[in-house]
Amino acid sequence: MAAPLNITVSEEQGQVPITVFHVAGDIDGSSYETLRTEAASAYEAGMRYLLLDLAKVKYMSSAGLRALHNIFDMLNADISAEEQKKVARGILDGSYKSPYLKLLNPTRDVQRTLSTAGFDMFLEIHNKAKAAINSFTQP
Amino acid sequence: MPVVATLSLVAQAADLGQVRQFIEGATEMLGLDSETTAHMRMAVDEAVTNVLEHGYHNQPGRLELNICREQTDVIIYLSDEAPVFDPTQVPPPDLSIPAPLRPPGGMGLHFIRQALDELQHEALPDGGNRLIMIWRNVAPEA
């Protein structure tokens, strides 16, 4: 059996308040809803900046990407229509990286999944927690 | 064609980990490298996920996986009893549209195609599907 998805949450104060999800286990068709639900609950509680620590995720399927996409959309939902247009333009020309959702330490297999789907084009991937925390700024 | 390993189960999403472990065990037995193992694990996981979600609508359903070796080729058969659906006829996603501007989802079949050399589908005579996933020249000479 795969390890059940376990998410522990910590809070960090950088230039903005950052929620860190330390995720452990496989993110697949049986567990991606857990990630999505946890993120939605945190968002309801006021979370606006999320760092996903993926160091202990050995495997992520396209279901995991679906969860990341949903979380990306959720965190971008508050911005104005004008900003949304700018984001779309930035995504199209490859210059946009989400200021709200970032990834920390994905394993090699997870990194490959992210890049195959083009998720590394709009999500920053950090290898050091401190640098990741410091990279969050008010957009 | 010699069958190397078989897994038969009434599956639901919670069994995906067992399916991946089965693939890992079989690839080890076949002496496949870690890259090929990762590809097979992903392709089978995505294929089973698709059957469970779209074929069985997240209800438990019967699946059988057969892993066969033909010289240096490895062929994985995934059989189910879901309504007939041929994934080889599904057009690929439009990857010219960046991921965040596409609707969420729809990448599973793309991952399957990326991970293997050939994908075939057969409608079974008594109903159900057999997906045939083929990797060429990946097994060491026997």
Side-chain angles (χ1 to χ4, degrees):
Chain A
M1 292 291 290
L5 198 66
N6 189 280
I7 301 172
T8 54
V9 181
S10 64
E11 303 291 339
E12 297 284 343
Q13 185 60 52
Q15 297 179 56
V16 292
I18 299 143
T19 300
V20 186
F21 278 12
H22 306 274
V23 188
D26 293 345
I27 309 177
D28 64 6
S30 71
S31 62
Y32 76 103
E33 281 289 1
T34 302
L35 177 58
R36 191 156 67 174
T37 305
E38 287 282 328
S41 298
Y43 182 79
E44 285 294 313
M47 176 264 289
R48 291 297 179 269
Y49 298 90
L50 176 61
L51 178 63
L52 283 180
D53 176 359
L54 300 175
K56 293 183 180 170
V57 176
K58 278 175 58 185
Y59 176 78
M60 182 165 71
S61 71
S62 66
L65 296 177
R66 208 182 313 167
L68 290 186
H69 196 159
N70 290 142
I71 295 168
F72 170 85
D73 286 345
M74 179 181 73
L75 293 171
N76 271 25
D78 289 341
I79 64 178
S80 68
E82 191 54 39
E83 282 298 312
Q84 297 274 12
K85 283 181 194 166
K86 279 189 194 167
V87 168
R89 281 198 296 272
I91 288 170
L92 282 168
D93 69 22
S95 64
Y96 179 81
K97 297 275 189 185
S98 172
Y100 309 110
L101 174 63
K102 304 187 185 201
L103 309 179
L104 177 63
N105 279 329
T107 56
R108 193 185 62 168
D109 281 355
V110 170
Q111 173 84 54
R112 178 166 43 200
T113 300
L114 293 165
S115 57
T116 300
F119 275 52
D120 54 348
M121 300 296 288
F122 66 99
L123 297 178
E124 277 182 25
I125 297 175
H126 291 266
N127 295 319
K128 293 191 188 307
K130 190 166 184 184
I133 297 295
N134 290 337
S135 73
F136 281 90
T137 56
Q138 187 110 36
Chain B
M1 187 182 307
V3 177
V4 176
T6 294
L7 176 69
S8 184
L9 71 169
V10 177
Q12 48 193 335
D15 297 312
L16 285 166
Q18 182 188 346
V19 167
R20 292 194 296 275
Q21 280 189 342
F22 166 72
I23 296 298
E24 287 163 5
T27 59
E28 187 177 343
M29 200 160 47
L30 285 163
L32 307 187
D33 61 34
S34 60
E35 188 81 3
T36 306
T37 296
H39 285 155
M40 290 182 175
R41 183 174 55 216
M42 169 162 283
V44 172
D45 177 272
E46 296 288 355
V48 169
T49 299
N50 281 346
V51 171
L52 294 175
E53 277 189 20
H54 305 298
Y56 289 134
H57 303 287
N58 297 313
Q59 298 299 309
R62 184 163 294 285
L63 292 176
E64 185 168 299
L65 280 160
N66 288 294
I67 303 185
C68 301
R69 174 190 178 138
E70 189 167 273
Q71 297 180 338
T72 57
D73 295 348
V74 175
I75 303 162
I76 302 180
Y77 297 88
L78 168 61
S79 303
D80 64 56
E81 296 174 355
V84 172
F85 175 74
D86 182 356
T88 67
Q89 299 304 308
V90 176
D94 184 353
L95 297 176
S96 68
I97 302 171
L101 301 181
R102 297 193 298 265
M107 290 301 289
L109 193 51
H110 173 65
F111 280 4
I112 294 171
R113 287 171 167 144
Q114 291 285 309
L116 45 64
D117 293 311
E118 198 174 328
L119 182 66
Q120 299 173 5
H121 171 268
E122 292 174 355
L124 295 172
D126 295 329
N129 304 273
R130 180 157 58 196
L131 196 64
I132 306 168
M133 295 172 268
I134 303 172
W135 284 263
R136 305 276 186 210
N137 301 314
V138 291
E141 299 279 351

